[in-house]
C-alpha cells in the first residue's frame, strides 16, 4: 500500500442515563454502552459495502474485510486507502481489481474439492480458503491460559457487555487483540493487521470470544491459522469445514473444561 492513512482515535464507548432494578428498588444510574457506527467502503470510486462496527482499528478492519471477501490476498494489492472516519467513509483503490472477484462476492456456491465434501457458501471462499498444514501443538493448560488472558484484556466487554474480542497468540501469550460489536469485524481487524505487517502465522493461534460459525472457520483458514480457541460453541458446518481445512477447533473453554472438536493431534494431551 503506497499511502498509509493517519490513524485517528475515536471513542468506542459512551454513557447513557438508565434506571436499574437491583432486586428491591429502582435507582437512576449512568451506564456504559458500546458505540456503533457505520462505515461505507468506496472501492475504486464506487460504493462496495457498508459495515456497522466499533470505530477503532479502521485500517485493519477495511484491509481484513477486503481479504475476507476475496478481493485481495496481499497488502501490496491495495494502492491507496484513505479514511474519512468522521463521515463514515473509507476510500480504497486497488492496483488491479479482477472483475470476476467482484462479481462473485456474496454469490452462493456449494461444491466439493479433492473428493471431499468441502462446502462453501460463497464463490470467493472456494478461491481463497486454503488447507492449513501447521505442525504447531498446544497443551490443555496453554488453551486455558490464552483464553483467560483474552478475557482479562477485554476491558470494554466488562464495561459494556456488548463487544466481541479476538486475539492472535503464540502458544504462551497474546500478541494482538481486537474488539468490535461484530464478531466478524473483530477477526477482520486481526486479519488486516496480519496483512499490513506481513506477519507469519504458521506458529500462531486464534483466540475468540464468540460462537465458531462457518464464516469464522473460513476466516481462520484464509489467515492460515491452524488452531482456533473459543469459550463458546461451534456449528456443524464450521466443524465440517474445519475438519476439511485442517483447523483444530477447541470450544467451551471455561474454568477447567474444554472440548476438542477437530484435529485433536495438535492438542498434546489428545495424541
Amino acid at each position: 500500500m503506497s499511502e498509509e492513512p493517519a490513524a485517528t482515535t475515536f471513542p468506542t464507548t459512551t454513557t447513557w442515563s438508565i434506571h436499574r432494578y437491583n432486586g428491591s428498588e429502582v435507582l437512576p444510574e449512568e451506564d456504559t454502552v458500546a458505540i456503533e457506527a457505520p462505515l461505507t467502503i468506496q472501492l475504486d470510486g464506487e460504493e462496495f459495502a457498508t459495515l456497522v462496527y466499533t470505530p477503532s482499528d479502521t485500517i485493519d478492519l477495511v484491509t481484513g474485510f477486503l481479504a475476507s471477501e476475496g478481493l485481495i490476498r496481499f497488502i501490496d494489492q491495495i494502492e491507496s486507502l484513505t479514511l474519512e472516519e468522521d463521515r463514515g467513509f473509507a476510500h480504497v483503490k486497488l492496483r488491479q481489481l479482477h472483475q470476476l472477484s467482484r462479481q462473485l462476492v456474496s454469490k452462493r456456491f456449494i461444491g466439493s474439492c479433492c473428493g471431499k465434501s468441502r462446502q462453501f457458501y460463497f464463490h470467493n471462499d472456494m478461491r481463497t480458503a486454503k488447507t492449513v498444514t501447521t505442525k504447531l501443538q498446544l497443551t490443555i493448560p496453554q488453551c486455558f491460559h490464552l483464553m483467560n488472558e483474552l478475557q482479562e484484556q477485554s476491558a470494554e466487554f466488562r464495561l459494556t457487555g456488548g463487544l466481541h474480542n479476538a486475539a492472535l497468540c503464540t502458544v504462551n501469550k497474546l500478541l494482538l487483540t481486537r474488539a468490535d460489536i461484530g464478531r466478524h469485524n473483530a477477526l477482520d481487524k486481526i486479519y488486516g493487521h496480519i496483512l499490513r505487517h506481513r506477519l507469519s502465522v504458521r506458529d500462531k493461534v486464534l483466540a475468540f470470544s464468540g460462537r465458531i460459525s462457518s464464516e469464522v472457520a473460513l476466516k481462520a483458514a484464509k489467515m492460515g491459522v491452524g488452531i482456533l480457541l473459543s469459550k463458546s460453541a461451534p456449528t456443524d458446518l464450521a466443524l465440517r469445514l474445519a475438519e476439511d481445512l485442517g483447523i483444530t477447533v477447541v470450544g467451551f473453554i471455561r474454568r477447567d473444561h474444554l472440548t476438542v472438536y477437530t484435529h485433536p493431534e495438535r492438542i498434546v494431551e489428545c495424541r
Side-chain angles (χ1 to χ4, degrees):
M1 183 162 52
S2 59
E3 183 178 340
E4 181 80 2
T8 304
T9 301
F10 288 89
T12 57
T13 62
T14 187
T15 57
W16 196 265
S17 297
I18 63 168
H19 290 80
R20 192 187 306 276
Y21 177 64
N22 62 14
S24 60
E25 59 181 339
V26 176
L27 297 173
E29 294 182 13
E30 292 292 310
D31 196 20
T32 302
V33 296
I35 288 178
E36 179 179 0
L39 178 70
T40 297
I41 299 174
Q42 297 273 350
L43 186 60
D44 292 342
E46 297 182 12
E47 182 175 331
F48 176 66
T50 296
L51 311 178
V52 179
Y53 82 122
T54 299
S56 65
D57 306 297
T58 307
I59 303 170
D60 287 344
L61 173 63
V62 174
T63 303
F65 176 76
L66 293 175
S68 289
E69 292 296 305
L71 294 175
I72 65 168
R73 294 190 65 188
F74 307 100
I75 190 63
D76 293 336
Q77 292 175 274
I78 298 178
E79 181 173 328
S80 64
L81 196 167
T82 305
L83 299 180
E84 291 184 277
E85 289 177 274
D86 55 336
R87 297 182 59 234
F89 284 94
H91 304 279
V92 180
K93 184 175 182 181
L94 300 183
R95 296 191 185 281
Q96 183 177 5
L97 176 59
H98 293 287
Q99 191 62 30
L100 179 62
S101 294
R102 185 162 185 170
Q103 290 174 347
L104 293 181
V105 169
S106 297
K107 288 189 179 294
R108 292 188 176 275
F109 175 82
I110 297 178
S112 62
C113 179
C114 302
K116 297 183 179 181
S117 58
R118 180 175 298 179
Q119 298 184 49
F120 295 99
Y121 275 144
F122 303 110
H123 280 272
N124 276 344
D125 291 336
M126 181 181 66
R127 298 172 58 248
T128 57
K130 305 300 181 184
T131 300
V132 181
T133 58
T134 179
K135 296 181 180 179
L136 182 68
Q137 291 185 333
L138 208 60
T139 66
I140 286 176
Q142 286 171 329
C143 293
F144 287 126
H145 172 71
L146 293 176
M147 189 54 60
N148 288 337
E149 285 287 301
L150 179 63
Q151 291 179 299
E152 288 177 8
Q153 294 195 25
S154 304
E156 289 179 327
F157 172 79
R158 290 195 296 273
L159 284 173
T160 67
L163 295 176
H164 290 281
N165 294 277
L168 185 69
C169 321
T170 68
V171 296
N172 295 313
K173 65 179 181 179
L174 275 58
L175 297 176
L176 167 73
T177 61
R178 291 290 183 263
D180 202 279
I181 58 169
R183 65 181 188 273
H184 299 300
N185 292 345
L187 289 167
D188 281 342
K189 288 176 178 180
I190 295 284
Y191 195 3
H193 185 94
I194 290 170
L195 291 175
R196 290 178 56 234
H197 296 274
R198 307 176 193 274
L199 300 181
S200 171
V201 296
R202 292 185 62 84
D203 59 346
K204 303 300 188 298
V205 177
L206 271 178
F208 184 52
S209 65
R211 182 181 71 252
I212 301 176
S213 65
S214 58
E215 290 176 276
V216 170
L218 286 168
K219 287 181 190 293
K222 292 174 185 180
M223 293 182 210
V225 177
I227 301 179
L228 178 57
L229 310 178
S230 176
K231 68 176 184 180
S232 192
T235 66
D236 72 317
L237 181 54
L239 294 180
R240 281 184 276 147
L241 285 168
E243 187 68 45
D244 194 20
L245 291 166
I247 298 170
T248 298
V249 172
V250 185
F252 286 115
I253 305 175
R254 302 176 183 179
R255 297 182 181 177
D256 58 351
H257 293 78
L258 57 73
T259 303
V260 182
Y261 289 93
T262 57
H263 292 278
E265 67 275 7
R266 294 201 185 100
I267 305 302
V268 173
E269 291 84 350
C270 295
R271 292 176 62 85

